[in-house]
Amino acid sequence: MSNSTAGAYAGDASAAQTYKALEEDATATLVDVRTQAEWNYVGIPDLSPLGRDALFVEWQTYPTGAANPDFVATLTGLVEERGATKDGPIYFLCRSGVRSRAAAIAMTAAGFGACYNVIGGFEGSPDTDRHRGSLEGWKYEGLPWRQS
């Protein structure tokens, strides 16, 4: 795992590193920050093989793309409901790693200590044909996922 922006968040992790951390650390949490439409139509990470569930909180709202003003408060409440602490590692996932990076920075600023951005996200960056899923990301790594 790396951190290219020292101090802003804990660093970047690949999808495979994230899954391994979720497998090995019961305090680790996965937060999918994509929109409800993406969860419904593209799919979601499936943590059931680990006996766990991801948290789902939109970073930007659908369909406007406006920033979710309740993101930090909503996620803080969900983390507390799980009995987790602000020190446990949280891995943020979006489509390609852009929104999740912003979410990791925001939650670090809110006092959470180990916030990671999942580089490549769920679908990864577009290839030369502008298709996602063939270069990097959760699906590319062959990690469990399901259609809603």
Side-chain angles (χ1 to χ4, degrees):
M1 291 180 237
S2 66
N3 185 350
S4 58
T5 310
Y9 63 105
D12 297 318
S14 71
Q17 289 170 321
T18 298
Y19 194 81
K20 183 175 173 85
L22 292 164
E23 191 173 42
E24 295 176 352
D25 185 349
T27 68
T29 301
L30 179 66
V31 180
D32 190 327
V33 303
R34 295 174 299 146
T35 65
Q36 179 75 48
E38 289 171 293
W39 302 325
N40 289 340
Y41 297 109
V42 179
I44 60 173
D46 181 7
L47 302 183
S48 64
L50 305 178
R52 306 173 70 175
D53 293 311
L55 295 176
F56 298 90
V57 182
E58 290 180 315
W59 175 252
Q60 294 174 301
T61 59
Y62 180 81
T64 65
N68 177 357
D70 300 321
F71 180 83
V72 171
T74 299
L75 183 54
T76 299
L78 290 172
V79 167
E80 289 172 357
E81 282 177 21
R82 283 201 168 179
T85 68
K86 287 187 169 190
D87 298 325
I90 301 177
Y91 295 84
F92 293 89
L93 177 78
C94 68
R95 178 180 63 191
S96 63
V98 175
R99 288 172 286 175
S100 52
R101 181 179 180 275
I105 291 169
M107 294 309 289
T108 299
F112 285 76
C115 298
Y116 295 91
N117 171 44
V118 180
I119 52 175
F122 191 68
E123 296 179 87
S125 301
D127 62 19
T128 56
D129 293 324
R130 303 198 42 82
H131 298 148
R132 293 184 186 272
S134 63
L135 299 175
E136 62 190 349
W138 192 274
K139 285 182 167 182
Y140 175 78
E141 295 283 345
L143 298 170
W145 67 280
R146 65 181 169 82
Q147 214 66 48
S148 296

